[in-house]
Amino acid sequence: MTSRPLDRLLRPQTIAVFGGREARRVIEQCDRMGFAGEIWPVHPKLDEVLGRRCCRSLSDLPAAPDAAFVGVNRVLTVDIVRGLSRAGAGGAVCYASGFSEATAELADGAELQQALLEAAGDMPILGPNCYGLINGLDGALLWPDQHGMQRVKRGVAILTQSSNIAINLTMQTRGLPIAYVVTAGNQAQTSLADVACALIDDPRVTAIGLHVEGFGDLAALERLAAIARRSRKPVVVLKVGKSEQAKHAAVSHTASLAGSDAVADAVLARLGLGRVQSLPALLETLKLLHIAGPLANHSISSMCCSGGEASLMADAAVGRKVEFPALQPRQLPRLREVLGEMVALANPLDYHTFVWGDLARQTEAFSAMFEGGCALNLVVLDFPRSDRCEASEWMTTADAVIAAASATGTLAGLLATLPENMPEPVAERLMSNGIVAFSGIDEAITAAEVAAGIGEAWDRPPPLPLLNVVPADGEIETLTEADAKIELAACGLPIPGGLQAFSPGEAAELAERLGFPVVLKGLGIAHKTEAGAVVLNLRDPEAVSNAAAAMASDAGYLVERMVDAPVAELIVGATRDPVFGLSLMLGAGGIFVELLEDSIILPLPATKADIHTAIARLKIAKLIYGYRGRPRGDLEAMIDTIATAADYVVMNAAHLEELDINPLMVLPEGRGVAAVDALIRRRR
């Protein structure tokens, strides 16, 4: 995280522009937005640009500029940035490409980027390889192209590495007031999180949206989350670049289940940062956060004048963390009186068209619906085409929503099922009246889900600092199951009694010493079940000897006491993500790992309360809690064991690459748990 203040760069009073065509465009865009400060073009040959006298060089500037747009070639960029830094400028946008983002094409890309960083020194820079920024609050732009923004008094900030994505987002016609758009290019010095932290301090910014191609500094992300929580300004993230979760070279189930995208989800949720999967969802979620901030809960009411729309709304919530609660008894008489006997009162509610075009009756119906205590109240309404149709009665409905929300003091949204059916002037009017102008059912449901998730996270105590340990160097070794279990037993994990043998005859002898029945496993074999290297329920020495001979394991054998039939089987694992480091993975274990696809990622360190909450979200939790009269599992022992495994990961974070306990047998209540298989990969 940079300590460089960004105020002058983000909110400049004076702007210097270096270069030709791109620099001229920056001046054009500032003039179009009504920038009231001074602009100083710098060019070695031109006398003036757009009526402004040119300085021949940086040394001719009347003062150190607050911000500079450097639109020259990559080599000259370094020289100009050095001069700006020495002069005391407030910051610069580096437009040129050809730095570390282009090392595959340019051998000196990384070297030139290092030179740029040294040239900048304590002066903040955006980029290189970026367009810069648009400040729609003050009309200040360091931006060499068209855009779709206009001056606003307050609004959201959108940050992205991609200049083209930024341009596209400024062209939205959804009624979202955008205060800032900032691009960070390859984030050589200043990251998106750095910029976001600086923008949250602006009282005119209501929420932050990040389009992220890759997270860099984990500490910066944590700091952003803490500032967002403290400032009560929510942040929503569109993280792109989902990794292949199946790591083909992995030797454990944990590695295949804990893909970095799943880890990113878990980390963002823990930090209280919302996540969406598309640009439309990002914009719609920012609308809701701009108007209302985080939601108090996941409850929604919905009204529409079509049974088809009501069904679409209900279906959109299936599998999502939102709910349409039943109407409260006190709402029913009022709704019945205004809507009549033919309307089936429910949530979502199809109110038919009996009150269509009647402002007073619609306001009464909407008010009755809005008073059900839901966090968000939606009215579905698609406007007709303005070039072919007349929309006065649709505007009556919009006016009724505004009036009902005002009368009840509740949060309301008007939802067009298709984005083209929400005209921009209507959206802007709704938003200015505190009504969220939603475009798209799925996007509106996503917005509610994310906003409620942020509210839920903020209601919890601040999370523990994430485990952020630099991994050690050294070759990776894979411990045998026997050695892994010895290490885990020493840390307090419950391991079945077992002994290591090096021949079929010795395995038979050790089995007699342990007592039958036993399990025989071949050591040094990954995925033993698939390889036929596990034989259960052996009841005499001959059976043990024969099974061992059939395995032909070069590393020897592990003979263990059989564990009684469990209530459920879990997988408990940890694997190292290249960005987020080690995290814990919990899920349905044994043969159900792939069948159920039932797993959850838990960032570390984790408390027992965190573990309990995570377990409750698994499908297999029903078995653990006693499904349909079956015995309950030993929940307390299970959570204690998982917590011990989590502590082991934290304590060994520098060297551990992978932990895989599968299955962890959860026995009936009062009888504990048993880790019957384990794998550890670590650096020597």
Side-chain angles (χ1 to χ4, degrees):
M1 170 63 68
T2 182
S3 60
R4 301 169 180 85
L6 298 172
D7 293 357
R8 291 173 67 195
L9 175 60
L10 296 172
R11 292 175 282 276
Q13 298 295 312
T14 56
I15 297 173
V17 294
F18 295 80
R21 182 181 60 181
E22 285 75 21
R24 180 186 179 91
R25 287 176 175 172
V26 170
I27 300 174
E28 288 175 345
Q29 296 306 322
C30 283
D31 287 344
R32 288 184 61 192
M33 287 278 275
F35 176 58
E38 294 186 53
I39 302 176
W40 303 324
V42 181
H43 196 280
K45 297 179 180 178
L46 297 178
D47 293 327
E48 62 88 27
V49 177
L50 297 176
R52 292 171 175 85
R53 183 182 67 82
C54 272
C55 298
R56 284 283 178 257
S57 66
L58 190 155
S59 60
D60 293 333
L61 289 172
D66 291 326
F69 179 86
V70 183
V72 298
N73 69 62
R74 65 193 189 109
V75 176
L76 187 54
T77 292
V78 176
D79 294 335
I80 291 175
V81 165
R82 182 180 296 109
L84 287 166
S85 179
R86 289 173 177 172
V93 168
C94 300
Y95 173 77
S97 58
F99 293 83
S100 66
E101 82 284 352
T103 51
E105 297 82 19
L106 297 170
D108 65 342
E111 180 182 343
L112 198 63
Q113 178 144 316
Q114 184 58 38
L116 178 65
L117 291 174
E118 292 172 0
D122 292 332
M123 183 187 74
I125 58 172
L126 292 177
N129 189 28
C130 80
Y131 267 24
L133 68 96
I134 304 171
N135 175 342
L137 299 165
D138 307 308
L141 296 89
L142 293 103
W143 191 263
D145 205 342
Q146 297 185 94
H147 62 87
M149 286 174 58
Q150 59 185 351
R151 293 287 289 268
V152 295
K153 293 182 178 179
R154 59 192 293 272
V156 304
I158 299 177
L159 286 61
T160 173
Q161 289 171 256
S162 168
S163 299
N164 198 60
I165 292 291
I167 291 176
N168 296 344
L169 290 173
T170 70
M171 302 299 177
Q172 60 88 27
T173 58
R174 297 166 178 254
L176 175 66
I178 303 177
Y180 291 92
V181 163
V182 183
T183 63
N186 74 18
Q187 305 181 90
Q189 179 214 70
T190 305
S191 71
L192 291 176
D194 294 331
V195 178
C197 288
L199 291 179
I200 282 180
D201 287 338
D202 192 323
R204 302 167 294 178
V205 171
T206 55
I208 304 281
L210 301 179
H211 168 257
V212 178
E213 295 173 26
F215 294 109
D217 186 353
L218 190 57
L221 195 65
E222 284 191 275
R223 180 167 179 257
L224 171 59
I227 293 173
R229 176 192 287 258
R230 186 168 64 248
S231 305
R232 312 305 289 177
K233 292 186 180 180
V235 176
V236 59
V237 178
L238 169 56
K239 167 69 172 66
V240 298
K242 291 186 177 182
S243 66
E244 293 183 10
Q245 291 194 354
K247 299 175 183 175
H248 300 298
V251 296
S252 79
H253 290 297
T254 297
S256 66
L257 291 174
S260 63
D261 197 63
V263 178
D265 253 351
V267 170
L268 292 173
R270 172 162 166 163
L271 295 178
L273 304 175
R275 185 177 186 189
V276 295
Q277 302 293 342
S278 70
L279 291 171
L282 177 67
L283 293 174
E284 297 306 309
T285 303
L286 285 173
K287 283 186 194 174
L288 175 55
L289 295 175
H290 168 74
I291 293 292
L295 296 183
N297 56 61
H298 295 82
S299 62
I300 301 174
S301 78
S302 173
M303 296 184 76
C304 48
C305 58
S306 160
E309 290 171 343
S311 297
L312 287 174
M313 291 297 295
D315 287 352
V318 174
R320 308 292 291 277
K321 203 172 181 182
V322 296
E323 60 175 346
F324 290 103
L327 298 177
Q328 297 185 15
R330 60 184 173 81
Q331 294 176 273
L332 301 179
R334 192 174 170 191
L335 285 168
R336 178 63 65 208
E337 181 178 356
V338 69
L339 296 178
E341 296 297 324
M342 295 181 64
V343 173
L345 301 182
N347 183 27
L349 173 61
D350 169 16
Y351 67 89
H352 295 210
T353 55
F354 300 121
V355 296
W356 182 255
D358 188 323
L359 178 62
R361 292 179 67 197
Q362 280 193 321
T363 301
E364 173 67 11
F366 297 160
S367 296
M369 193 69 172
F370 292 178
E371 290 184 333
C374 289
L376 174 63
N377 302 280
L378 298 174
V379 174
V380 181
L381 184 70
D382 282 62
F383 283 79
R385 294 175 58 126
S386 60
D387 58 341
R388 301 176 186 174
C389 306
E390 198 277 322
S392 60
E393 291 185 336
W394 280 259
M395 287 307 304
T396 298
T397 302
D399 291 340
V401 171
I402 294 171
S406 176
T408 57
T410 55
L411 175 64
L414 197 66
L415 166 59
T417 62
L418 299 175
E420 58 267 33
N421 293 347
M422 174 63 74
E424 186 176 24
V426 174
E428 290 175 342
R429 179 168 180 266
L430 290 166
M431 296 286 286
S432 67
N433 281 278
I435 307 299
V436 188
F438 284 118
S439 298
I441 291 176
D442 287 339
E443 288 80 7
I445 295 295
T446 294
E449 185 177 38
V450 170
I454 295 173
E456 191 175 59
W458 285 4
D459 286 341
R460 297 191 294 266
L464 295 170
L466 291 168
L467 182 63
N468 192 7
V469 178
V470 178
D473 293 328
E475 287 186 34
I476 295 178
E477 63 175 351
T478 301
L479 302 189
T480 67
E481 181 182 347
D483 289 340
K485 285 183 171 177
I486 290 171
E487 180 153 326
L488 293 174
C491 295
L493 262 76
I495 304 295
L499 296 167
Q500 189 171 354
F502 295 95
S503 69
E506 186 182 7
E509 292 174 11
L510 295 178
E512 281 196 287
R513 188 188 307 175
L514 286 172
F516 295 102
V518 298
V519 179
L520 181 72
K521 300 179 181 181
L523 294 176
I525 302 172
H527 302 309
K528 295 182 183 66
T529 302
E530 292 90 328
V534 177
V535 183
L536 306 176
N537 208 27
L538 298 171
R539 295 185 172 272
D540 58 64
E542 183 180 3
V544 173
S545 179
N546 291 340
M551 282 182 196
S553 173
D554 294 335
Y557 309 93
L558 182 62
V559 186
E560 289 184 333
R561 290 192 184 95
M562 276 285 294
V563 175
D564 292 339
V567 169
E569 297 181 10
L570 293 179
I571 179 172
V572 179
T575 189
R576 186 180 297 280
D577 180 85
V579 175
F580 298 108
L582 287 161
S583 57
L584 204 67
M585 192 276 296
L586 308 175
I591 65 170
F592 296 110
V593 170
E594 285 89 2
L595 288 176
L596 293 184
E597 296 182 349
D598 181 26
S599 64
I600 191 168
I601 302 295
L602 195 57
L604 293 171
T607 65
K608 288 186 179 180
D610 294 331
I611 294 167
H612 195 289
T613 300
I615 289 292
R617 291 171 58 189
L618 295 173
K619 301 170 191 172
I620 203 168
K622 292 181 179 179
L623 290 178
I624 298 169
Y625 297 148
Y627 186 63
R628 292 192 174 182
R630 291 168 58 109
R632 282 175 57 88
D634 199 328
L635 184 64
E636 185 174 344
M638 179 193 69
I639 290 176
D640 285 345
T641 299
I642 295 171
T644 300
D647 290 343
Y648 170 82
V649 175
V650 171
M651 289 186 294
N652 294 275
H655 294 275
L656 186 67
E657 285 294 311
E658 200 172 322
L659 170 69
D660 192 76
I661 301 169
N662 180 35
L664 176 70
M665 300 286 203
V666 183
L667 302 175
E669 201 164 20
R671 295 173 60 185
V673 298
V676 301
D677 197 359
L679 176 143
I680 292 174
R681 295 175 70 238
R682 65 186 180 193
R683 295 194 179 272
R684 295 183 188 275

